[in-house]
Amino acid sequence: MSTGSGHIAAAAAAAAAAAAAASMAGNRGGGSGGGSQQQQAAQQQQPPQAQSNKNISREAWEQRLAEVHVAREDMNRLVMNYLVVEGHKEAAEMFQQESGTDPGTDLSTIHTRTMIRSAVEQGDVEAAIDRVNDLNPGDPGEQRDAVF
């Protein structure tokens, strides 16, 4: 793995950061800006960083971002989680080698997990159940650790 040493980690970190930023932006949107007087009063009493802004300037975002420190271990776990959840098996394996981050699951099951998720998203519940049973044979009540 001498070629690209650190490149996978950098690319994965950038992808995870972009996904996290998109997720935060999506969670921020929502309401019509109205709300009850009680809700508006409660929001005014919150410190500025706790208030929800639909629009934030690039400078304000960069200033807030500069004030936040994320430990490398936390960022590595975030990147690994993103790679596993999104089904990027090879990238997760390389990231595990480069960073030493435990994926928290058997990477050989990523393809099957992706197929299960796809079946559920397409409404094919029977196929999803069949794949879950293939992945975790036995009584589902005994398998409390089966997490998707």
Side-chain angles (χ1 to χ4, degrees):
M1 297 291 157
S2 61
T3 60
S5 176
H7 293 286
I8 302 275
S23 174
M24 287 175 18
N27 289 340
R28 246 193 258 197
S32 62
S36 72
Q37 289 179 343
Q38 291 175 337
Q39 289 172 332
Q40 291 173 356
Q43 187 177 23
Q44 289 174 353
Q45 293 175 358
Q46 294 176 348
Q49 65 268 30
Q51 291 182 0
S52 175
N53 296 327
K54 286 189 177 183
N55 296 317
I56 183 171
S57 70
R58 182 180 182 103
E59 294 80 23
W61 171 258
E62 288 176 355
Q63 180 182 3
R64 289 182 185 180
L65 189 60
E67 294 171 358
V68 175
H69 171 72
V70 178
R72 178 179 286 275
E73 182 178 302
D74 292 337
M75 181 58 79
N76 286 347
R77 282 195 310 256
L78 174 66
V79 169
M80 181 60 80
N81 179 270
Y82 173 81
L83 295 172
V84 169
V85 168
E86 294 301 319
H88 303 289
K89 178 184 176 189
E90 293 81 15
E93 289 170 338
M94 291 202 286
F95 188 69
Q96 180 182 21
Q97 290 175 354
E98 288 186 12
S99 69
T101 303
D102 179 29
T105 190
D106 181 2
L107 294 179
S108 68
T109 65
I110 287 179
H111 179 69
T112 304
R113 291 170 183 265
T114 303
M115 290 174 35
I116 293 167
R117 184 168 115 187
S118 177
V120 169
E121 289 172 349
Q122 294 174 5
D124 193 353
V125 177
E126 289 183 27
I129 291 171
D130 289 342
R131 289 187 177 115
V132 167
N133 290 335
D134 290 343
L135 185 62
N136 297 302
D139 181 14
E142 294 175 10
Q143 299 172 5
R144 298 173 194 263
D145 295 334
V147 177
F148 289 93

